[in-house]
Amino acid sequence: MIKEEKEKTYQGRGLHSPNLRDALNEGGLLRELLEIVKSDEDLVLEIRNDYFNIYYKGGNIAKVESANSIQFDHNYFKGYQRPKYESDKKEEERKALKKKMLSALKKERNYYDFVSKMKELMNDYWTWLKEEKGKSLKEKDVQHSLCINNTEQSEYTIIDVEFQVSTEARYTYKKPIRPKGRFVARKKRSPRFDIIAVRNSDHQLCVIELKSGVNALYGKSGIGDHADSFEGTIGRMPQVFLEEIKGVVNDKKNIGLLSKDFELSDSNPEFVYAYSFKSNDQDRGGNYVSDEQQKELFVEEMKRMHCEQYRVMFLEKN
């Protein structure tokens, strides 16, 4: 019954609960955690549907639903599987550490220690992924760099990252009319977009899809697939999405993450690709490709997928 009630009253992203807003205000139980986020350039707070996530270098350091409901991902403890920890980090120690971190969150309210330890765990986890699993973290690093370097004083202001369209949203995915020959994933339910940002020069809302390296241009999660995701969701009801983001912007203003005079245009959201050049990149035939060749392949795939109407930003290194 409670679940049904929640579904009926779905309001989209925003801090709708008075208790959650109060906890973030001066003197509230979550105020110290908010101040840590504001003072740490490696942390980003993004508002969800009556909760918020805190990201560290693109990873979710904490999900906060209320002052008494703060969750963290235990998968980050997998970094302890790295060889250097095999002898001195036993399962008992991992369990004790989890317990200690939960206590720091819910009993002692020692947010500083929690954040510091989670950073250490997450760094170990990503090193483990790279060294033991051979997983590239290039796109995650680029996303984090864009978040901390794009503020109200730069060309764009990042409003949200890892924006996943809810199945309860009015603009939830519905199969659009697709150009002939465009590749799209067979099953699509809740598409996710890398970055939601506002272009500061004209206050234009932008939905940005980040690509890194030419192999990210094709097939599933490629250029055509992402265009289909946009056209089947936000592109169907752009003003509904705009109103939801306006609510997020107001919430960020109220808790001090955006200035009070920050503006957002009423025009429909713009879909944009952002491409990060990859050093020593290879095409699908195994041939090394220069930055200029990467750019040519991007434009070629945009045409092949009938995406010429969308803009692409080629990101400068650093």
Side-chain angles (χ1 to χ4, degrees), residues 170-178 188 228-229 231-233 236:
R170 289 173 60 193
Y171 53 90
T172 191
Y173 182 79
K174 290 184 180 178
K175 181 180 176 181
I177 298 173
R178 299 165 175 162
K188 198 171 291 189
D228 179 81
S229 293
E231 292 163 12
T233 56
R236 288 194 306 109

Side-chain angles (χ1 to χ4, degrees), residues 41-248:
E41 68 173 16
D42 284 330
L43 299 179
V44 178
L45 186 153
E46 303 299 359
I47 295 170
R48 304 296 179 233
N49 180 25
D50 235 6
Y51 69 92
F52 59 86
N53 287 334
I54 298 174
Y55 292 96
Y56 168 61
K57 295 184 177 179
N60 191 0
I61 202 169
K63 175 183 178 181
V64 184
E65 295 181 307
S66 71
N68 296 312
S69 179
I70 306 175
Q71 304 166 40
F72 56 90
D73 191 346
H74 291 183
N75 278 327
Y76 288 122
F77 285 78
K78 288 181 178 178
Y80 279 170
Q81 295 179 22
R82 293 170 60 201
K84 78 171 191 175
Y85 287 129
E86 284 181 356
S87 60
D88 59 354
K89 296 289 183 182
K90 306 298 182 185
E91 182 63 25
E92 294 77 11
E93 293 180 60
R94 289 197 288 269
K95 289 180 179 178
L97 180 56
K98 291 176 186 178
K99 186 176 180 180
K100 182 180 179 181
M101 292 175 70
L102 284 170
S103 178
L105 277 177
K106 297 181 179 180
K107 293 181 181 179
E108 301 152 24
R109 301 284 174 184
N110 192 336
Y111 298 127
Y112 181 81
D113 281 359
F114 167 76
V115 169
S116 298
K117 193 60 189 178
M118 277 302 297
K119 281 183 174 183
E120 183 183 325
L121 285 167
M122 293 166 81
N123 286 333
D124 280 340
Y125 175 72
W126 289 323
T127 301
W128 172 71
L129 279 182
K130 187 175 182 179
E131 292 180 353
E132 304 296 321
K133 300 296 182 180
K135 186 172 182 180
S136 172
L137 303 173
K138 166 74 172 174
E139 193 167 304
K140 182 185 288 290
D141 291 340
V142 173
Q143 185 188 58
H144 173 67
S145 178
L146 288 173
C147 285
I148 65 174
N149 291 310
N150 284 273
T151 64
E152 293 177 63
Q153 287 71 48
S154 59
E155 188 177 354
Y156 286 82
T157 299
I158 306 295
I159 302 299
D160 204 345
V161 297
E162 298 295 330
F163 187 100
Q164 186 166 16
V165 177
S166 171
T167 56
E168 299 176 63
R170 289 173 60 193
Y171 53 90
T172 191
Y173 182 79
K174 290 184 180 178
K175 181 180 176 181
I177 298 173
R178 299 165 175 162
K180 186 176 180 181
R182 175 185 286 178
F183 178 90
V184 296
R186 287 186 178 181
K187 293 183 179 180
K188 198 171 291 189
R189 181 172 172 81
S190 300
R192 188 188 299 269
F193 298 99
D194 289 328
I195 297 172
I196 310 298
V198 174
R199 191 164 55 233
N200 293 325
S201 60
D202 58 1
H203 316 296
Q204 172 66 46
L205 182 62
C206 298
V207 179
I208 301 175
E209 197 56 48
L210 178 63
K211 312 305 296 176
S212 178
V214 295
N215 286 300
L217 308 181
Y218 311 106
K220 186 177 180 181
S221 297
I223 288 177
D225 194 19
H226 285 310
D228 179 81
S229 293
F230 176 78
E231 292 163 12
T233 56
I234 295 168
R236 288 194 306 109
M237 306 182 79
Q239 288 295 309
V240 175
F241 173 75
L242 175 64
E243 289 304 312
E244 183 171 340
I245 297 301
K246 281 184 177 180
V248 172

Side-chain angles (χ1 to χ4, degrees), residues 292-308:
E292 191 57 38
Q293 288 172 317
Q294 290 180 52
K295 185 183 290 188
E296 291 171 359
L297 288 170
F298 196 110
V299 174
E300 179 183 289
E301 184 65 5
M302 283 189 78
K303 291 179 180 178
R304 196 170 75 90
M305 291 292 107
H306 307 282
C307 295
E308 301 100 315

Side-chain angles (χ1 to χ4, degrees), residues 213-215 278-289 294 297:
V214 295
N215 286 300
K278 195 172 182 180
S279 300
N280 300 317
D281 199 17
Q282 298 178 16
D283 63 18
R284 291 186 290 183
N287 303 304
Y288 285 98
V289 285
Q294 290 180 52
L297 288 170

